[in-house]
Amino acid sequence: MFGLGVGFMKLMHLCYAAVGFVVARWLFKRQPIALPDPVTRFRSSGLL
């Protein structure tokens, strides 16, 4: 009885890990958004 529950939990964990891996690959595959350099931005605003 306990073997079935443990196997199910392992399967669910594997599915969550696979979904997380796919989402992470999708996020890192996207083109990076062109962000202005923060140092330049702070210098121009007088913070540095």
Side-chain angles (χ1 to χ4, degrees):
M1 181 172 178
F2 287 111
L4 182 62
V6 171
F8 179 72
M9 291 301 291
K10 285 184 179 180
L11 181 65
M12 289 301 294
H13 181 78
L14 187 64
C15 289
Y16 277 119
V19 169
F21 183 71
V22 168
V23 169
R25 282 192 59 183
W26 175 75
L27 285 176
F28 286 114
K29 189 176 70 170
R30 292 189 308 169
Q31 294 294 327
I33 301 170
L35 293 175
D37 187 19
V39 175
T40 308
R41 188 166 46 101
F42 288 149
R43 282 187 182 148
S44 65
S45 62
L47 294 176
L48 284 177

